Amino acid sequence: MKPTEKILDTAIQEKVDVIGLSGLITPSLEVMVEVAKEMERRKMNLPLMIGGATTSRIHTAVKIAPHYSGAVIHVLDASRSVPVVSNLVNQDDNVRKVFEEKIKTEYAKLREDHLKKREEKNYLSLEDARKNKFKCDWREAQITVPKKHGVTVLENYPLDILRKYIDWTPFFQTWEM
């Protein structure tokens, strides 16, 4: 939570190759937008890396990248920043430009998809929703009775067997894998 001017003035003074911002609390997301806007106003040409607990690729693409014409890249965590920085500071202009264009194209697609999701929401009126409510004749419903009621504790159960019943999707989505 440093002032935008301090971040950018220090970056210029220290002749950095990349500016990295980490958002640990929600208000820092707005600071990141301010930094991007100020970088654009100053006509800076440094890559801007975004990371931290409160950030995401979609937030970076939708809220931050549109305010800066330079490269804006979300990095999930510090361990993944090395290859990103390597591409951003590559001495081969072609490698750097191809990488930056790939990210810009990806973020443009994310913004487009984000807008479509917001537009596609056709909500029903409360009256129509009530007409469309779930209807079930519970007297006729075939409900399977559990073989055993209560809690079953499985101690020392092999993880190899449990693993195939775990839905890893939420973890992969959260970690953007």
Side-chain angles (χ1 to χ4, degrees), residues 89-101:
V89 299
N90 196 305
Q91 298 303 312
D92 182 345
D93 283 345
N94 193 42
V95 170
R96 186 174 60 249
K97 286 177 183 170
V98 166
F99 178 74
E100 289 178 6
E101 279 307 311

Side-chain angles (χ1 to χ4, degrees), residues 18-62:
V18 177
I19 294 176
L21 303 176
S22 179
L24 300 177
I25 57 176
T26 305
S28 58
L29 296 174
E30 287 306 313
V31 173
M32 293 177 180
V33 173
E34 290 172 25
V35 170
K37 287 178 178 179
E38 183 62 15
M39 288 176 74
E40 185 67 22
R41 191 189 72 74
R42 292 186 185 196
K43 296 180 177 24
M44 295 177 77
N45 194 27
L46 291 171
L48 178 60
M49 283 181 32
I50 304 294
T54 58
T55 65
S56 70
R57 231 172 86 234
I58 191 73
H59 182 271
T60 302
V62 172

Side-chain angles (χ1 to χ4, degrees), residues 29 32 43 51 63 84 86 95 97 110 120-121 125 143 148 150 157 165 169:
L29 296 174
M32 293 177 180
K43 296 180 177 24
K63 299 283 186 178
V84 172
S86 177
V95 170
K97 286 177 183 170
L110 284 172
E120 289 175 6
K121 292 181 183 173
S125 68
I143 300 172
K148 178 182 177 234
Y157 204 79
Y165 297 102
T169 307

Side-chain angles (χ1 to χ4, degrees), residues 76 80 171-177:
L76 193 57
R80 298 188 183 169
F171 298 102
F172 294 145
Q173 287 174 339
T174 301
W175 297 327
E176 295 182 3
M177 295 174 71

